[in-house]
Amino acid sequence: MQWYLKVLKNYVGFSGRARRKEYWMFTLFSVIISLVLSLVENMIGLTQVLTGIYSLAVLLPSLGVLVRRLHDTGRSGWWFLIAFIPLVGAIILLVFACQDSKEDNQYGPNPKTDANAFV
């Protein structure tokens, strides 16, 4: 949960780097929260009101952590625009998000070796 909260606290931080663990833990918790909200909506009879509000609330944090993840792999944050290419773009972003951290680059030191990073 600390990874999820770390991303939310840095919700408009598009500079720096994000480890794979930070990105994927945020993604995992976001999916779980969305599923729970969807179940609650179905029980109550709402039509995607809660999930819509939640999606808007985490839009900027999601973009921020994706851009930082791309920085961690040595790519510009503008690579997120490739997601607008149907099917292929999402697959390419998935591959980029799964790649290991690069050594120190123009976006900062390797977060794996940073003493302040979570274990």
Side-chain angles (χ1 to χ4, degrees), residues 17-81:
R17 299 170 65 162
R19 293 178 58 184
R20 272 187 298 193
K21 189 172 189 175
E22 179 181 351
Y23 177 78
W24 288 111
M25 292 303 280
F26 176 78
T27 303
L28 174 67
F29 278 103
S30 290
V31 168
I32 291 170
I33 291 170
S34 293
L35 288 173
V36 168
L37 288 175
S38 181
L39 288 173
V40 169
E41 288 172 342
N42 286 335
M43 286 182 202
I44 297 174
L46 296 174
T47 55
Q48 298 184 351
V49 174
L50 298 176
T51 53
I53 292 171
Y54 176 73
S55 296
L56 283 175
V58 296
L59 178 63
L60 283 178
S62 298
L63 285 175
V65 75
L66 175 61
V67 167
R68 291 192 310 273
R69 180 71 201 120
L70 289 169
H71 287 173
D72 194 42
T73 62
R75 292 177 180 80
S76 167
W78 290 105
W79 271 97
F80 85 89
L81 293 173

